[in-house]
Amino acid sequence: MPEVDSGAASDSPMGFGEMIAAFHGFEICQEPWRLYYDETGNWRSVSYRDGRVRDARAFERDFILGGIVVTDDAALPELLEGSKKLPAPNGEIKCKSVLGGSKDFRKVLRRQETTDFLSLIDRDGAAVHYHAQDNLYYSIVDIVDSLIAMPIHRATVIFERELKNELYLCALQDPITFLNELSGFGYPNVSRSKVRPFCEFIQRAISLRQSTERSSEEMEGFFLETLRQMVKAASKEESLAFLEGNKDDSLVDDFSSHYTMACAVLPNATHIFDEESYVSMELAKPLNNYIFVDSKSEPLVQLADVWVGFLSRLFAFLDDWMRNPDDRHLQSQEIDNLRTAKRLIGRSNDLHRSLISNVGANDTILGRESVLSFLCNP
């Protein structure tokens, strides 16, 4: 599950796609596929109000934009016919109608409807795709980018992912309190008069983590201490490169860049999105390879809704397991469904790297991979 940082799009969406592809070492995908999308965790924007995080729920689950890819039209009749067999109250397949309403993900894995859904999309000529974003990670990475931008720190760019991971783990101890504290310095803008106290706060957060968590990995301690020293040096600066000129009180302006990125790195594909008037206004010309449809009239967009809902629950389950490993044995149906999900993600990642992307910390992305592999091979 590689990270593909969505960031801000350039003026040319095609140039943006080439930039993303080059940065992550893959070629623009020229395949004329059809990709069907839905989303979960879309808060439109994530921001402060009166110095506090406007809605803490935006940090509980990832934003996910994803769905189904048809790589061969021969698969379409079976997908459409199979979709008719899934529960569809009011004539529309929904995540809850297939996965149920239980908060216990193991119960979700034991549902026959879950097995039927995963089996339906696990076929030749079809694939899955998703773009996931951890809003806490996205909200704070400009801090590390600002440190690396300092001339004395340029060489640390090779540790960029590790440094961002360490800052994320500092914030993760109490995310909302951490973000609210940042707001007190004007974040995401930090004026010259507040650079020193801002850096001193970050130093305290790092020192607190150093005192409470003794890692068995020597390199993890090295990266955390490197981050602390970088912040200490930054406290003597007049300004921080990427913490100026941002939209006041905005942590995540919107999620439209994920839509733009998907269209730009697959320019010959047709991208079929669920109706979303706000995003449709953002996806302006010269992009012309997408349409917005009413999900009630498009069964594969309905399947996309189930897939992103399944992923959201899967990620939450894997995150919980990392924090509190469950020694209960999984039943065979649970293991089989996890294996199918793992196979689908792996197959898509092999098909083209643009199909699977994560904006998140190493600990989260690699941890989920590790736990999923462990559970699939008990």
Side-chain angles (χ1 to χ4, degrees):
M1 303 179 191
E3 181 203 34
V4 178
D5 221 334
S6 57
S10 67
D11 291 338
S12 167
M14 184 60 69
F16 174 55
E18 291 170 348
M19 177 187 70
I20 290 292
F23 183 80
H24 292 281
F26 63 80
E27 298 290 331
I28 288 284
C29 183
Q30 303 294 346
E31 297 291 343
W33 297 331
R34 284 200 304 280
L35 287 84
Y36 299 81
Y37 295 79
D38 209 335
E39 60 189 32
T40 186
N42 187 351
W43 297 93
R44 292 288 181 86
S45 64
V46 183
S47 61
Y48 292 117
R49 179 171 57 192
D50 299 328
R52 315 281 296 180
V53 168
R54 182 183 292 267
D55 194 331
R57 291 176 298 173
F59 300 95
E60 294 174 359
R61 296 282 182 99
D62 288 358
F63 163 78
I64 304 174
L65 174 70
I68 311 300
V69 188
V70 176
T71 61
D72 186 338
D73 285 348
L76 196 55
E78 291 181 322
L79 287 169
L80 293 173
E81 188 61 31
S83 70
K84 296 176 183 177
K85 299 175 183 178
L86 296 174
N90 302 317
E92 185 173 7
I93 304 165
K94 302 294 288 186
C95 170
K96 191 172 182 179
S97 68
V98 174
L99 306 180
S102 177
K103 294 183 179 180
D104 183 348
F105 186 67
R106 293 188 57 177
K107 290 184 178 179
V108 173
L109 291 172
R110 293 195 295 270
R111 284 175 63 87
Q112 185 58 44
E113 293 88 344
T114 301
T115 301
D116 293 343
F117 166 73
L118 292 172
S119 298
L120 173 62
I121 61 177
D122 182 22
R123 65 178 62 252
D124 291 339
V128 297
H129 65 97
Y130 75 81
H131 307 275
Q133 175 175 295
D134 181 321
N135 290 326
L136 174 62
Y137 179 86
Y138 184 89
S139 295
I140 63 175
V141 291
D142 277 357
I143 297 172
V144 175
D145 288 332
S146 296
L147 301 175
I148 293 173
M150 294 170 56
I152 60 171
H153 294 154
R154 293 282 170 79
T156 62
V157 69
I158 62 173
F159 303 137
E160 175 190 4
R161 290 287 300 157
E162 289 80 7
L163 295 170
K164 289 178 178 179
N165 186 73
E166 294 302 327
L167 180 62
Y168 174 82
L169 292 177
C170 290
L172 194 61
Q173 296 178 96
D174 191 346
I176 304 307
T177 297
F178 184 89
L179 291 171
N180 287 342
E181 289 283 350
L182 293 185
S183 178
F185 303 103
Y187 192 83
N189 298 300
V190 178
S191 64
R192 296 190 174 196
S193 64
K194 293 188 176 181
V195 168
R196 178 179 288 275
F198 172 81
C199 290
E200 289 173 348
F201 165 71
I202 301 295
Q203 284 182 266
R204 289 195 298 273
I206 294 171
S207 297
L208 177 62
R209 183 161 165 258
Q210 286 178 317
S211 66
T212 57
E213 295 187 20
R214 296 298 177 186
S215 173
S216 59
E217 296 291 334
E218 183 176 344
M219 286 306 293
E220 290 180 8
F222 167 79
F223 292 131
L224 187 58
E225 177 59 21
T226 299
L227 180 64
R228 191 183 72 82
Q229 294 294 338
M230 291 171 71
V231 175
K232 182 178 180 181
S235 68
K236 301 172 185 177
E237 296 292 304
E238 291 188 354
S239 62
L240 299 172
F242 297 102
L243 304 184
E244 295 181 319
N246 298 307
K247 184 178 178 181
D248 287 342
D249 292 329
S250 179
L251 296 171
V252 181
D253 286 348
D254 60 54
F255 297 96
S256 61
S257 61
H258 292 276
Y259 295 74
T260 303
M261 181 180 71
C263 294
V265 298
L266 290 137
N268 294 329
T270 301
H271 303 265
I272 299 124
F273 299 107
D274 190 15
E275 272 186 339
E276 174 59 76
S277 58
Y278 178 79
V279 173
S280 63
M281 289 187 292
E282 296 292 323
L283 282 178
K285 294 179 180 180
L287 283 173
N288 58 4
N289 58 348
Y290 67 90
I291 59 173
F292 285 85
V293 300
D294 184 343
S295 61
K296 291 181 180 179
S297 64
E298 182 46 78
L300 270 70
V301 169
Q302 297 171 33
L303 295 183
D305 174 68
V306 181
W307 172 241
V308 295
F310 177 85
L311 279 181
S312 183
R313 299 185 191 198
L314 172 63
F315 290 167
F317 171 75
L318 297 175
D319 292 346
D320 287 342
W321 206 98
M322 276 189 277
R323 291 187 290 266
N324 300 293
D326 189 341
D327 58 3
R328 293 177 299 165
H329 292 295
L330 271 67
Q331 297 181 17
S332 60
Q333 186 178 16
E334 296 174 81
I335 295 172
D336 287 345
N337 282 331
L338 286 174
R339 285 174 175 168
T340 302
K342 184 175 184 295
R343 181 168 60 251
L344 287 166
I345 293 169
R347 184 191 302 156
S348 291
N349 199 36
D350 291 340
L351 189 61
H352 196 269
R353 284 184 55 199
S354 66
L355 294 177
I356 305 293
S357 69
N358 295 272
V359 179
N362 282 349
D363 259 43
T364 301
I365 298 168
L366 300 179
R368 287 172 180 172
E369 286 184 348
S370 178
V371 172
L372 184 56
S373 294
F374 173 79
L375 295 175
C376 287
N377 298 282

